[in-house]
Amino acid sequence: MKYFSARLSLWSLVCAAAVAFATGSQASEVNLYSHRHYEIDKQIFADFTAATGIKVNVVQASADQLIERLKAEGDNSPADVLFTVDAGRLERAKAANLLQPVTSPVIDKTVPADLRDPDRHWHAVTARARVIIYSKERVKPSELSTYEDLADPKWKGRLLVTSSGSVYNQSLLASIIEANGRDAALGWARGVASNLARAPQGGDRAQAQAISAGLADVAIVNTYYIGLLRTSKTAKDRDAGNAVAVFFPNQDGRGAHINVSGIGVTRSAKNKDNAIKFIEYLISPEAQARFSENNHEYPLTLDVNASPVLKDFGAFKADRSAVTKLGPRNSEAVETFNTAGWP
């Protein structure tokens, strides 16, 4: 398998792919464009090849690079499958006519209807919740309740979150627009921006590390980053992960926001049958368990017993109904962030 760094320019990626796929489509291969960058993915792909004899050729880059590349390549694209994070990005690929509808008895049975595109252009493979984390020393869980409550002035100077450019924040805001309307979402975004302990910097792990260092008390992050911190080989990371606890908001209402890592068969796929087999393998119980145990993502069942880390987080009610709305609401979310002045 050939892996290419997301740091390559788009032109470099095109040149590299020409080499990777120079032999053309073969009955024994599937060509994957992937935004994901996890070691467990490589292991699962290798196991798929061992089980089926189908080689997985991988090009890695950012979701935006891959989507633009698929547009440029058109029907001549060698890609059979697009695998990326965030339902909004998958919806963008669908809207650009880069994906085709796919169905199979296994996919239809395994992927819940609310975790896939209604037209079956993309399907979730794993899920992640975007939640509130809090200092075990300085915050009581009874002080927490909803995402909306984070706009309350009581959190002024105590809250951290990544920038409005984060697709995870854009999807969270899209879910709030879906639930409460644009005006209420704008008020929320303004309130959160005014409560920040510092200007957004770093990713989700950096927010947990800052709470551990005493710079703030609460933050909004994806659950799997806490799992990665707690199981890190670095003591400082483990300390940061264990200094915070996970709180699932809105449990008396719509539930905690979830997003997906999902997959779609490209419009240009030359190896469609192999692509479907590949998707079916990724959603198999064995692969789902490995995604959960190694990367702390939720399986499609949202089963908290899938890994010790998820079990420690506890069971929760998820806002499943909003997942397919995240893409259509993305542009509203971006505009709302800009109006609110969220950095």
Side-chain angles (χ1 to χ4, degrees), residues 314-332:
F316 70 101
K317 177 182 178 182
D319 183 11
R320 302 168 67 104
S321 64
V323 173
T324 59
K325 308 297 194 303
L326 303 182
R329 293 284 192 186
N330 179 265
S331 60
E332 283 184 88

Side-chain angles (χ1 to χ4, degrees), residues 115 124-129 223-224 258-261 296-300 302:
L115 297 182
V125 174
T126 62
R128 58 274 305 269
T223 43
Y224 80 99
I258 60 170
N259 205 333
V260 302
S261 194
H296 316 297
E297 297 174 89
Y298 287 97
L300 293 172
L302 300 185

Side-chain angles (χ1 to χ4, degrees), residues 20 63 73 77 105 145 152 170 178 193 202 218-219 221 234 236 262 269-270 336:
E73 292 172 336
S77 176
S145 57
D152 190 289
Q170 292 170 9
E178 179 68 19
V218 295
V221 304
T234 304
K236 185 176 180 180
K270 312 300 189 298
T336 301

Side-chain angles (χ1 to χ4, degrees), residues 99-309:
L99 305 177
Q100 61 174 292
V102 163
T103 184
S104 83
V106 173
I107 295 174
D108 291 350
K109 179 180 179 180
T110 306
V111 182
D114 50 13
L115 297 182
R116 67 181 180 218
D117 170 48
D119 299 318
R120 291 177 165 79
H121 285 74
W122 57 263
H123 297 78
V125 174
T126 62
R128 58 274 305 269
R130 193 153 186 79
V131 300
I132 300 171
I133 59 170
Y134 62 94
S135 167
K136 292 179 179 179
E137 293 182 350
R138 299 183 297 278
V139 178
K140 297 178 180 178
S142 60
E143 297 178 69
L144 300 165
S145 57
T146 64
Y147 297 106
E148 289 81 356
D149 180 65
L150 294 178
D152 190 289
K154 71 182 181 183
W155 299 112
K156 192 170 185 64
R158 303 174 65 192
L159 173 63
L160 292 175
V161 68
T162 52
S163 75
S164 61
S166 164
V167 71
Y168 299 127
N169 287 336
Q170 292 170 9
S171 288
L172 172 60
L173 186 57
S175 74
I176 292 174
I177 293 172
E178 179 68 19
N180 302 330
R182 176 75 177 272
D183 290 344
L186 174 59
W188 178 78
R190 283 174 169 159
V192 168
S194 68
N195 284 343
L196 294 179
R198 66 178 183 187
Q201 56 183 273
D204 280 359
R205 276 179 276 203
Q207 314 315 310
Q209 291 163 345
I211 290 176
S212 178
L215 300 180
D217 295 336
V218 295
I220 303 172
V221 304
N222 282 350
T223 43
Y224 80 99
Y225 284 114
I226 304 305
L228 292 173
L229 285 172
R230 290 184 179 180
T231 58
S232 172
K233 295 180 180 179
T234 304
K236 185 176 180 180
D237 286 345
R238 294 196 301 273
D239 289 343
N242 290 315
V244 299
V246 168
F247 182 87
F248 293 98
N250 297 78
Q251 293 302 283
D252 293 330
R254 65 184 181 275
H257 170 66
I258 60 170
N259 205 333
V260 302
S261 194
I263 197 163
V265 175
T266 65
R267 184 189 67 198
S268 61
K270 312 300 189 298
N271 301 299
K272 183 176 179 180
D273 289 345
N274 289 349
I276 292 174
K277 291 177 182 177
F278 181 63
I279 295 173
E280 290 176 345
Y281 188 83
L282 296 183
I283 62 176
S284 67
E286 295 78 13
Q288 290 282 290
R290 296 184 70 191
F291 281 126
S292 174
E293 292 167 3
N294 290 271
N295 210 43
H296 316 297
E297 297 174 89
Y298 287 97
L300 293 172
T301 58
L302 300 185
D303 181 9
V304 300
N305 293 316
S307 82
V309 169

